[in-house]
Amino acid sequence: MSRPPLPPFTRETAAQKARMAEDAWNSRDPEKVSLAYTPDSAWRNRGEFLTGRDAIVAFLTRKWARELDYRLIKEVWAFADNRIAARFAYEWRDDSGNWFRSYGNENWEFDEDGLMARRIASINDLPIRESDRLFHWPLGRRPDDHPSLSDLGL
């Protein structure tokens, strides 16, 4: 299975890969998201270590059951050959109505077919007031005219 764009990445294809990842995660569909990863993909997400698509699906199912009204923006920080470093922020609320903005960095490594073989994520959560939210599009894909992280000063 091939998942273009393929490495080695250019500035344009790295940005395209990041937007595709953002769109998939904003779908909040664990099965769909898992298809962007190799069957034996290795993850570190905060303090959790995962291997394989089944573990990714289980993780994302738990995540989006807890992180409600999830909206994410990703932005390429750096790229070379088959690797991309991205920064991101997402907003979500818990089941008590408390809002958070989570900030993080991801390091991605892709195989020759464009599937992500490794994902290393470091994330920090910041409680915010609902009135401080910046991500106001309907659930799903971020509109093309919505500001980026840099545009928002994040």
Side-chain angles (χ1 to χ4, degrees):
M1 180 169 102
S2 180
R3 190 118 175 160
L6 306 177
F9 297 111
T10 64
R11 179 175 308 284
E12 184 177 283
T13 60
Q16 183 182 3
K17 201 70 154 175
R19 182 59 193 240
M20 291 169 64
E22 175 188 317
D23 291 349
W25 281 64
N26 276 327
S27 77
R28 295 176 335 278
D29 180 339
E31 292 287 339
K32 176 182 176 179
V33 172
S34 75
L35 297 177
Y37 300 90
T38 61
D40 61 347
S41 185
W43 281 28
R44 180 183 60 77
N45 193 89
R46 301 176 192 253
E48 192 167 348
F49 294 81
L50 312 170
T51 302
R53 286 185 181 153
D54 290 342
I56 291 168
V57 169
F59 169 83
L60 293 174
T61 300
R62 287 191 317 272
K63 173 184 178 64
W64 290 320
R66 184 180 69 252
E67 296 177 357
L68 308 173
D69 291 324
Y70 177 96
R71 290 171 178 83
L72 164 75
I73 301 175
K74 291 183 184 276
E75 188 172 281
V76 173
W77 186 255
F79 66 93
D81 301 322
N82 69 331
R83 294 181 174 165
I84 297 173
R87 65 190 200 94
F88 62 87
Y90 62 91
E91 294 180 348
W92 57 281
R93 67 173 176 83
D94 64 18
D95 60 0
S96 297
N98 300 303
W99 281 92
F100 299 86
R101 185 173 304 125
S102 299
Y103 298 93
N105 297 292
E106 293 176 298
N107 297 313
W108 302 335
E109 183 176 75
F110 295 86
D111 72 5
E112 62 278 355
D113 293 320
L115 295 171
M116 196 181 301
R118 188 179 341 177
R119 175 183 175 268
I120 301 167
S122 298
I123 307 166
N124 298 297
D125 302 318
L126 175 69
I128 61 172
R129 294 183 305 254
E130 185 172 5
S131 61
D132 292 331
R133 292 180 53 225
L134 298 173
F135 303 173
H136 293 286
W137 66 87
L139 288 176
R141 186 179 192 277
R142 176 174 55 102
D144 290 335
D145 62 349
H146 190 280
S148 68
L149 292 178
S150 292
D151 293 336
L152 292 168
L154 300 176

PDB file of all heavy atoms in Angstrom, residues 47-68:
ATOM      1  N   GLY A  47       3.718   9.290  27.785  1.00  0.00           N
ATOM      2  CA  GLY A  47       4.432   8.191  28.435  1.00  0.00           C
ATOM      3  C   GLY A  47       3.943   6.822  28.010  1.00  0.00           C
ATOM      4  O   GLY A  47       4.243   5.829  28.656  1.00  0.00           O
ATOM      5  N   GLU A  48       3.183   6.776  26.937  1.00  0.00           N
ATOM      6  CA  GLU A  48       2.621   5.502  26.469  1.00  0.00           C
ATOM      7  C   GLU A  48       3.364   5.044  25.212  1.00  0.00           C
ATOM      8  O   GLU A  48       3.607   5.830  24.303  1.00  0.00           O
ATOM      9  CB  GLU A  48       1.130   5.697  26.169  1.00  0.00           C
ATOM     10  CG  GLU A  48       0.383   4.420  25.965  1.00  0.00           C
ATOM     11  CD  GLU A  48      -1.131   4.619  25.975  1.00  0.00           C
ATOM     12  OE1 GLU A  48      -1.609   5.710  26.362  1.00  0.00           O
ATOM     13  OE2 GLU A  48      -1.822   3.670  25.593  1.00  0.00           O
ATOM     14  N   PHE A  49       3.696   3.762  25.171  1.00  0.00           N
ATOM     15  CA  PHE A  49       4.405   3.179  24.040  1.00  0.00           C
ATOM     16  C   PHE A  49       3.487   2.173  23.360  1.00  0.00           C
ATOM     17  O   PHE A  49       2.913   1.302  24.015  1.00  0.00           O
ATOM     18  CB  PHE A  49       5.693   2.500  24.517  1.00  0.00           C
ATOM     19  CG  PHE A  49       6.686   3.483  25.074  1.00  0.00           C
ATOM     20  CD1 PHE A  49       6.572   3.951  26.377  1.00  0.00           C
ATOM     21  CD2 PHE A  49       7.714   3.964  24.286  1.00  0.00           C
ATOM     22  CE1 PHE A  49       7.470   4.873  26.888  1.00  0.00           C
ATOM     23  CE2 PHE A  49       8.624   4.888  24.784  1.00  0.00           C
ATOM     24  CZ  PHE A  49       8.501   5.344  26.091  1.00  0.00           C
ATOM     25  N   LEU A  50       3.339   2.307  22.039  1.00  0.00           N
ATOM     26  CA  LEU A  50       2.427   1.462  21.269  1.00  0.00           C
ATOM     27  C   LEU A  50       3.177   0.848  20.100  1.00  0.00           C
ATOM     28  O   LEU A  50       4.103   1.453  19.570  1.00  0.00           O
ATOM     29  CB  LEU A  50       1.283   2.295  20.684  1.00  0.00           C
ATOM     30  CG  LEU A  50       0.541   3.269  21.573  1.00  0.00           C
ATOM     31  CD1 LEU A  50      -0.358   4.149  20.724  1.00  0.00           C
ATOM     32  CD2 LEU A  50      -0.262   2.514  22.590  1.00  0.00           C
ATOM     33  N   THR A  51       2.711  -0.319  19.668  1.00  0.00           N
ATOM     34  CA  THR A  51       3.235  -0.934  18.453  1.00  0.00           C
ATOM     35  C   THR A  51       2.086  -1.532  17.674  1.00  0.00           C
ATOM     36  O   THR A  51       1.315  -2.334  18.218  1.00  0.00           O
ATOM     37  CB  THR A  51       4.259  -2.038  18.779  1.00  0.00           C
ATOM     38  OG1 THR A  51       5.320  -1.473  19.554  1.00  0.00           O
ATOM     39  CG2 THR A  51       4.843  -2.636  17.503  1.00  0.00           C
ATOM     40  N   GLY A  52       1.952  -1.120  16.417  1.00  0.00           N
ATOM     41  CA  GLY A  52       0.990  -1.720  15.510  1.00  0.00           C
ATOM     42  C   GLY A  52      -0.338  -0.993  15.414  1.00  0.00           C
ATOM     43  O   GLY A  52      -0.727  -0.230  16.300  1.00  0.00           O
ATOM     44  N   ARG A  53      -1.010  -1.258  14.306  1.00  0.00           N
ATOM     45  CA  ARG A  53      -2.279  -0.581  14.022  1.00  0.00           C
ATOM     46  C   ARG A  53      -3.368  -0.894  15.038  1.00  0.00           C
ATOM     47  O   ARG A  53      -4.149  -0.005  15.386  1.00  0.00           O
ATOM     48  CB  ARG A  53      -2.762  -0.940  12.619  1.00  0.00           C
ATOM     49  CG  ARG A  53      -1.974  -0.259  11.532  1.00  0.00           C
ATOM     50  CD  ARG A  53      -2.555  -0.545  10.179  1.00  0.00           C
ATOM     51  NE  ARG A  53      -1.774   0.104   9.133  1.00  0.00           N
ATOM     52  CZ  ARG A  53      -1.707  -0.340   7.905  1.00  0.00           C
ATOM     53  NH1 ARG A  53      -2.386  -1.410   7.529  1.00  0.00           N
ATOM     54  NH2 ARG A  53      -0.977   0.300   7.016  1.00  0.00           N
ATOM     55  N   ASP A  54      -3.457  -2.126  15.501  1.00  0.00           N
ATOM     56  CA  ASP A  54      -4.493  -2.455  16.493  1.00  0.00           C
ATOM     57  C   ASP A  54      -4.321  -1.624  17.756  1.00  0.00           C
ATOM     58  O   ASP A  54      -5.298  -1.124  18.322  1.00  0.00           O
ATOM     59  CB  ASP A  54      -4.485  -3.943  16.839  1.00  0.00           C
ATOM     60  CG  ASP A  54      -4.986  -4.814  15.697  1.00  0.00           C
ATOM     61  OD1 ASP A  54      -5.642  -4.280  14.774  1.00  0.00           O
ATOM     62  OD2 ASP A  54      -4.723  -6.037  15.729  1.00  0.00           O
ATOM     63  N   ALA A  55      -3.074  -1.450  18.188  1.00  0.00           N
ATOM     64  CA  ALA A  55      -2.800  -0.638  19.381  1.00  0.00           C
ATOM     65  C   ALA A  55      -3.118   0.832  19.110  1.00  0.00           C
ATOM     66  O   ALA A  55      -3.614   1.542  19.994  1.00  0.00           O
ATOM     67  CB  ALA A  55      -1.349  -0.807  19.813  1.00  0.00           C
ATOM     68  N   ILE A  56      -2.840   1.301  17.894  1.00  0.00           N
ATOM     69  CA  ILE A  56      -3.148   2.682  17.519  1.00  0.00           C
ATOM     70  C   ILE A  56      -4.657   2.910  17.554  1.00  0.00           C
ATOM     71  O   ILE A  56      -5.134   3.897  18.112  1.00  0.00           O
ATOM     72  CB  ILE A  56      -2.556   3.013  16.125  1.00  0.00           C
ATOM     73  CG1 ILE A  56      -1.030   3.048  16.206  1.00  0.00           C
ATOM     74  CG2 ILE A  56      -3.121   4.321  15.582  1.00  0.00           C
ATOM     75  CD1 ILE A  56      -0.331   3.086  14.854  1.00  0.00           C
ATOM     76  N   VAL A  57      -5.421   1.985  16.982  1.00  0.00           N
ATOM     77  CA  VAL A  57      -6.884   2.112  16.991  1.00  0.00           C
ATOM     78  C   VAL A  57      -7.406   2.132  18.420  1.00  0.00           C
ATOM     79  O   VAL A  57      -8.248   2.979  18.775  1.00  0.00           O
ATOM     80  CB  VAL A  57      -7.538   0.975  16.169  1.00  0.00           C
ATOM     81  CG1 VAL A  57      -9.043   0.942  16.396  1.00  0.00           C
ATOM     82  CG2 VAL A  57      -7.222   1.145  14.685  1.00  0.00           C
ATOM     83  N   ALA A  58      -6.919   1.254  19.264  1.00  0.00           N
ATOM     84  CA  ALA A  58      -7.372   1.210  20.659  1.00  0.00           C
ATOM     85  C   ALA A  58      -7.018   2.514  21.375  1.00  0.00           C
ATOM     86  O   ALA A  58      -7.845   3.077  22.110  1.00  0.00           O
ATOM     87  CB  ALA A  58      -6.755   0.014  21.377  1.00  0.00           C
ATOM     88  N   PHE A  59      -5.806   2.998  21.161  1.00  0.00           N
ATOM     89  CA  PHE A  59      -5.373   4.247  21.788  1.00  0.00           C
ATOM     90  C   PHE A  59      -6.259   5.420  21.360  1.00  0.00           C
ATOM     91  O   PHE A  59      -6.735   6.196  22.189  1.00  0.00           O
ATOM     92  CB  PHE A  59      -3.908   4.526  21.429  1.00  0.00           C
ATOM     93  CG  PHE A  59      -3.459   5.901  21.805  1.00  0.00           C
ATOM     94  CD1 PHE A  59      -3.047   6.181  23.102  1.00  0.00           C
ATOM     95  CD2 PHE A  59      -3.470   6.942  20.886  1.00  0.00           C
ATOM     96  CE1 PHE A  59      -2.656   7.455  23.468  1.00  0.00           C
ATOM     97  CE2 PHE A  59      -3.079   8.220  21.232  1.00  0.00           C
ATOM     98  CZ  PHE A  59      -2.666   8.478  22.531  1.00  0.00           C
ATOM     99  N   LEU A  60      -6.460   5.569  20.041  1.00  0.00           N
ATOM    100  CA  LEU A  60      -7.248   6.697  19.535  1.00  0.00           C
ATOM    101  C   LEU A  60      -8.716   6.596  19.963  1.00  0.00           C
ATOM    102  O   LEU A  60      -9.357   7.619  20.214  1.00  0.00           O
ATOM    103  CB  LEU A  60      -7.122   6.788  18.019  1.00  0.00           C
ATOM    104  CG  LEU A  60      -5.726   7.169  17.508  1.00  0.00           C
ATOM    105  CD1 LEU A  60      -5.676   7.076  15.991  1.00  0.00           C
ATOM    106  CD2 LEU A  60      -5.313   8.551  17.990  1.00  0.00           C
ATOM    107  N   THR A  61      -9.242   5.399  20.051  1.00  0.00           N
ATOM    108  CA  THR A  61     -10.616   5.210  20.532  1.00  0.00           C
ATOM    109  C   THR A  61     -10.736   5.730  21.960  1.00  0.00           C
ATOM    110  O   THR A  61     -11.682   6.471  22.288  1.00  0.00           O
ATOM    111  CB  THR A  61     -11.016   3.727  20.437  1.00  0.00           C
ATOM    112  OG1 THR A  61     -10.932   3.318  19.063  1.00  0.00           O
ATOM    113  CG2 THR A  61     -12.419   3.497  20.968  1.00  0.00           C
ATOM    114  N   ARG A  62      -9.774   5.374  22.829  1.00  0.00           N
ATOM    115  CA  ARG A  62      -9.765   5.870  24.221  1.00  0.00           C
ATOM    116  C   ARG A  62      -9.595   7.390  24.240  1.00  0.00           C
ATOM    117  O   ARG A  62     -10.286   8.090  24.985  1.00  0.00           O
ATOM    118  CB  ARG A  62      -8.622   5.235  25.018  1.00  0.00           C
ATOM    119  CG  ARG A  62      -8.806   3.804  25.385  1.00  0.00           C
ATOM    120  CD  ARG A  62      -7.760   3.305  26.398  1.00  0.00           C
ATOM    121  NE  ARG A  62      -6.398   3.735  26.145  1.00  0.00           N
ATOM    122  CZ  ARG A  62      -5.525   3.100  25.363  1.00  0.00           C
ATOM    123  NH1 ARG A  62      -5.882   2.002  24.729  1.00  0.00           N
ATOM    124  NH2 ARG A  62      -4.293   3.558  25.223  1.00  0.00           N
ATOM    125  N   LYS A  63      -8.668   7.889  23.422  1.00  0.00           N
ATOM    126  CA  LYS A  63      -8.358   9.318  23.396  1.00  0.00           C
ATOM    127  C   LYS A  63      -9.607  10.136  23.077  1.00  0.00           C
ATOM    128  O   LYS A  63      -9.943  11.083  23.784  1.00  0.00           O
ATOM    129  CB  LYS A  63      -7.264   9.574  22.347  1.00  0.00           C
ATOM    130  CG  LYS A  63      -6.953  11.037  22.080  1.00  0.00           C
ATOM    131  CD  LYS A  63      -5.922  11.159  20.963  1.00  0.00           C
ATOM    132  CE  LYS A  63      -5.606  12.585  20.631  1.00  0.00           C
ATOM    133  NZ  LYS A  63      -4.982  13.330  21.718  1.00  0.00           N
ATOM    134  N   TRP A  64     -10.288   9.773  21.982  1.00  0.00           N
ATOM    135  CA  TRP A  64     -11.405  10.600  21.541  1.00  0.00           C
ATOM    136  C   TRP A  64     -12.687  10.343  22.327  1.00  0.00           C
ATOM    137  O   TRP A  64     -13.629  11.135  22.235  1.00  0.00           O
ATOM    138  CB  TRP A  64     -11.597  10.474  20.037  1.00  0.00           C
ATOM    139  CG  TRP A  64     -10.443  11.143  19.323  1.00  0.00           C
ATOM    140  CD1 TRP A  64      -9.830  12.318  19.678  1.00  0.00           C
ATOM    141  CD2 TRP A  64      -9.769  10.688  18.162  1.00  0.00           C
ATOM    142  NE1 TRP A  64      -8.818  12.613  18.801  1.00  0.00           N
ATOM    143  CE2 TRP A  64      -8.755  11.633  17.862  1.00  0.00           C
ATOM    144  CE3 TRP A  64      -9.911   9.571  17.343  1.00  0.00           C
ATOM    145  CZ2 TRP A  64      -7.901  11.489  16.776  1.00  0.00           C
ATOM    146  CZ3 TRP A  64      -9.053   9.434  16.255  1.00  0.00           C
ATOM    147  CH2 TRP A  64      -8.064  10.384  15.986  1.00  0.00           C
ATOM    148  N   ALA A  65     -12.722   9.313  23.139  1.00  0.00           N
ATOM    149  CA  ALA A  65     -13.832   9.142  24.083  1.00  0.00           C
ATOM    150  C   ALA A  65     -13.657  10.107  25.259  1.00  0.00           C
ATOM    151  O   ALA A  65     -14.623  10.524  25.883  1.00  0.00           O
ATOM    152  CB  ALA A  65     -13.901   7.699  24.574  1.00  0.00           C
ATOM    153  N   ARG A  66     -12.407  10.472  25.541  1.00  0.00           N
ATOM    154  CA  ARG A  66     -12.078  11.352  26.671  1.00  0.00           C
ATOM    155  C   ARG A  66     -11.938  12.810  26.231  1.00  0.00           C
ATOM    156  O   ARG A  66     -12.311  13.726  26.969  1.00  0.00           O
ATOM    157  CB  ARG A  66     -10.773  10.843  27.296  1.00  0.00           C
ATOM    158  CG  ARG A  66     -10.326  11.558  28.526  1.00  0.00           C
ATOM    159  CD  ARG A  66      -9.010  10.979  29.075  1.00  0.00           C
ATOM    160  NE  ARG A  66      -7.893  11.265  28.181  1.00  0.00           N
ATOM    161  CZ  ARG A  66      -7.264  10.370  27.409  1.00  0.00           C
ATOM    162  NH1 ARG A  66      -7.623   9.119  27.403  1.00  0.00           N
ATOM    163  NH2 ARG A  66      -6.262  10.728  26.637  1.00  0.00           N
ATOM    164  N   GLU A  67     -11.361  13.039  25.039  1.00  0.00           N
ATOM    165  CA  GLU A  67     -11.109  14.393  24.540  1.00  0.00           C
ATOM    166  C   GLU A  67     -12.231  14.777  23.570  1.00  0.00           C
ATOM    167  O   GLU A  67     -12.167  14.490  22.374  1.00  0.00           O
ATOM    168  CB  GLU A  67      -9.734  14.461  23.865  1.00  0.00           C
ATOM    169  CG  GLU A  67      -8.599  14.211  24.842  1.00  0.00           C
ATOM    170  CD  GLU A  67      -7.228  14.204  24.194  1.00  0.00           C
ATOM    171  OE1 GLU A  67      -7.122  14.331  22.953  1.00  0.00           O
ATOM    172  OE2 GLU A  67      -6.244  14.069  24.937  1.00  0.00           O
ATOM    173  N   LEU A  68     -13.247  15.427  24.113  1.00  0.00           N
ATOM    174  CA  LEU A  68     -14.455  15.756  23.349  1.00  0.00           C
ATOM    175  C   LEU A  68     -14.279  17.062  22.578  1.00  0.00           C
ATOM    176  O   LEU A  68     -13.501  17.930  22.974  1.00  0.00           O
ATOM    177  CB  LEU A  68     -15.638  15.852  24.307  1.00  0.00           C
ATOM    178  CG  LEU A  68     -15.840  14.643  25.235  1.00  0.00           C
ATOM    179  CD1 LEU A  68     -16.933  14.910  26.243  1.00  0.00           C
ATOM    180  CD2 LEU A  68     -16.107  13.384  24.424  1.00  0.00           C
TER     181      LEU A  68
END
